[in-house]
Amino acid sequence: MSSDNLTGAENQQETESSILGLDPRWVVGFVDGEGCFCVSVHHNPLCARRTGGWQLHPVFQVSQHQRHRAVLEELSSFFACGRVRPKGPKSSVLAFAVDSLQALEGLILPFFEQYPLVVKQRDFRLFAEIVRSMRRKEHLQRAGFERLLTLAYAMNADGKQRARTLEEVLGGSSETTRQASPVSDGASKI
Amino acid sequence: MSSDNLTGAENQQETESSILGLDPRWVVGFVDGEGCFCVSVHHNPLCARRTGGWQLHPVFQVSQHQRHRAVLEELSSFFACGRVRPKGPKSSVLAFAVDSLQALEGLILPFFEQYPLVVKQRDFRLFAEIVRSMRRKEHLQRAGFERLLTLAYAMNADGKQRARTLEEVLGGSSETTRQASPVSDGASKI
């Protein structure tokens, strides 16, 4: 083997572009490594008063440096949904992302139920419950919203990276003073 | 599904501990996501003068937060080598790591030749060449060391994250003044 055969971005692109089809078990392993089942919480004044103006936004995504764009495009073809977009305005990291509730329910959830995750199985189960409940519009009622929000805060290491506590969000969706819940130390970056 | 069934570290551990055997294609996908084929460069005054006191240290590793220790232990069983260790003295991240040249050559390389990587295939091929050359002790001669060092600097985005340039290391292994090579902008963190 000569190093001449292995240097340069062309080789990288050629290797990844020549993938004819991804093995589903490889996809599960890759998602267990680089994927994320996330439910972000946004404040939107246009949202119903009964949720305190908060909305839930479930996203399945897989991130890679832009030099590996080909594999993200391949994942988009594999799942027959989603799109590849930069993680931020000047970011060199791209994400294959699916945030359509219909695509999540119809394409993403059934796949990972047929091919179970290993590391991210618990987050996936919570994510699946949130997506299906939202498809039934349960999040539009206060009780449903609060239940799904609590599930979202139980995801990804019990929401430890979130910027807002569960109580801060719930404070805007309910007039009752709440006891600290088991996931109340969560803080959301999203 | 009730959220009571899904919260708590016990569930996480139970899920991962109940793995009876990892699918090899899942392992390839997971390594394509979370694995690293690295060749670090260390200065060791005890090393032969002909390499300028530098030594190459190939390591295959897969990292995870400590709450996913079970999957790293499972990988160690799967590959029948390596060990799980903290990434640093106070780090909450663990790594399953294999740095025995014998284990790398006999167990790790054949597996990834049977089950090819997708994203990290190019780095793996360079890594394999370095490991096999070191097993033949080519790195103990100056010409061999310089060839393998150049291959190492062509790995992982052409060594852009390395703290030292290729020339800085080569300067200690050769008396000749060198032209900048195609990978001379590399800088090593390791």
Side-chain angles (χ1 to χ4, degrees):
Chain A
M1 190 193 72
S2 138
S3 63
D4 294 339
N5 295 334
L6 294 168
T7 54
E10 295 78 10
N11 272 62
Q12 191 72 51
Q13 287 300 318
E14 189 187 343
T15 306
E16 293 179 15
S17 300
S18 64
I19 304 163
L20 293 177
L22 297 175
D23 184 284
R25 283 151 294 201
W26 180 91
V27 171
V28 178
F30 195 60
V31 169
D32 256 324
E34 295 286 60
C36 181
F37 299 92
C38 332
V39 180
S40 55
V41 183
H42 300 283
H43 196 258
N44 182 347
L46 299 176
C47 280
R49 265 187 56 203
R50 62 175 73 91
T51 69
W54 294 97
Q55 65 181 162
L56 300 169
H57 184 220
V59 185
F60 164 58
Q61 61 184 9
V62 185
S63 303
Q64 282 291 284
H65 190 274
Q66 61 191 7
R67 66 180 169 272
H68 301 304
R69 168 184 277 274
V71 77
L72 298 183
E73 300 284 1
E74 192 79 14
L75 283 171
S76 184
S77 301
F78 180 87
F79 285 110
C81 60
R83 60 199 171 102
V84 176
R85 62 190 183 191
K87 289 276 278 187
K90 293 181 179 176
S91 176
S92 59
V93 176
L94 302 176
F96 157 62
V98 182
D99 61 0
S100 147
L101 285 177
Q102 189 174 4
L104 288 170
E105 186 186 45
L107 298 166
I108 302 299
L109 303 190
F111 173 79
F112 289 106
E113 281 162 351
Q114 184 175 358
Y115 295 98
L117 293 141
V118 174
V119 175
K120 297 189 160 77
Q121 175 67 353
R122 176 176 171 272
D123 287 335
F124 171 74
R125 287 170 62 197
L126 290 161
F127 184 82
E129 171 69 6
I130 292 168
V131 167
R132 289 187 170 125
S133 300
M134 288 180 73
R135 286 283 283 167
R136 294 190 296 265
K137 303 197 184 302
E138 293 178 18
H139 61 299
L140 301 181
Q141 299 300 319
R142 195 174 76 190
F145 172 79
E146 293 186 2
R147 185 178 78 86
L148 300 186
L149 184 72
T150 305
L151 291 182
Y153 268 70
M155 294 173 66
N156 301 315
D158 286 339
K160 286 196 170 50
Q161 294 184 321
R162 291 189 184 264
R164 295 181 194 91
T165 65
L166 185 64
E167 286 66 41
E168 283 172 322
V169 180
L170 285 176
S173 75
S174 169
E175 289 166 7
T176 8
T177 305
R178 289 164 195 289
Q179 298 290 323
S181 85
V183 294
S184 64
D185 60 345
S188 153
K189 65 178 173 186
I190 39 182
Chain B
M1 189 192 72
S2 140
S3 62
D4 294 341
N5 295 333
L6 293 167
T7 54
E10 295 77 10
N11 272 63
Q12 190 72 50
Q13 287 300 318
E14 189 186 343
T15 306
E16 292 179 14
S17 300
S18 64
I19 304 163
L20 293 177
L22 297 175
D23 184 284
R25 284 152 293 199
W26 180 91
V27 170
V28 178
F30 195 61
V31 169
D32 257 323
E34 294 286 60
C36 181
F37 298 93
C38 331
V39 180
S40 55
V41 183
H42 299 281
H43 197 259
N44 181 347
L46 300 177
C47 280
R49 266 186 55 202
R50 61 174 73 92
T51 69
W54 294 97
Q55 65 181 159
L56 300 170
H57 184 221
V59 185
F60 164 58
Q61 61 184 8
V62 184
S63 303
Q64 282 291 286
H65 190 275
Q66 61 192 8
R67 66 180 168 271
H68 300 305
R69 169 185 276 274
V71 77
L72 298 182
E73 300 283 2
E74 192 80 14
L75 283 171
S76 183
S77 300
F78 180 87
F79 285 109
C81 61
R83 61 199 170 101
V84 177
R85 62 190 183 192
K87 289 276 277 188
K90 293 182 179 177
S91 176
S92 59
V93 176
L94 302 176
F96 157 62
V98 183
D99 61 359
S100 145
L101 284 177
Q102 189 173 6
L104 289 170
E105 187 186 45
L107 299 166
I108 302 299
L109 303 190
F111 173 78
F112 289 107
E113 282 162 350
Q114 184 174 357
Y115 295 97
L117 292 141
V118 175
V119 174
K120 297 190 160 76
Q121 175 66 354
R122 176 176 171 273
D123 287 335
F124 170 74
R125 287 170 62 197
L126 290 161
F127 184 83
E129 171 68 6
I130 293 169
V131 167
R132 288 186 170 126
S133 300
M134 289 180 73
R135 285 283 283 167
R136 294 190 297 265
K137 303 195 183 304
E138 293 178 18
H139 62 298
L140 301 181
Q141 298 300 321
R142 195 173 75 190
F145 173 79
E146 292 186 3
R147 184 179 77 86
L148 300 186
L149 184 73
T150 305
L151 291 181
Y153 268 70
M155 293 173 67
N156 300 316
D158 286 340
K160 285 195 171 51
Q161 294 184 323
R162 291 188 184 265
R164 295 181 193 92
T165 66
L166 184 64
E167 287 65 40
E168 284 172 322
V169 180
L170 284 176
S173 76
S174 168
E175 289 166 7
T176 5
T177 305
R178 289 163 195 289
Q179 299 290 322
S181 84
V183 293
S184 65
D185 60 345
S188 153
K189 64 178 174 184
I190 38 182

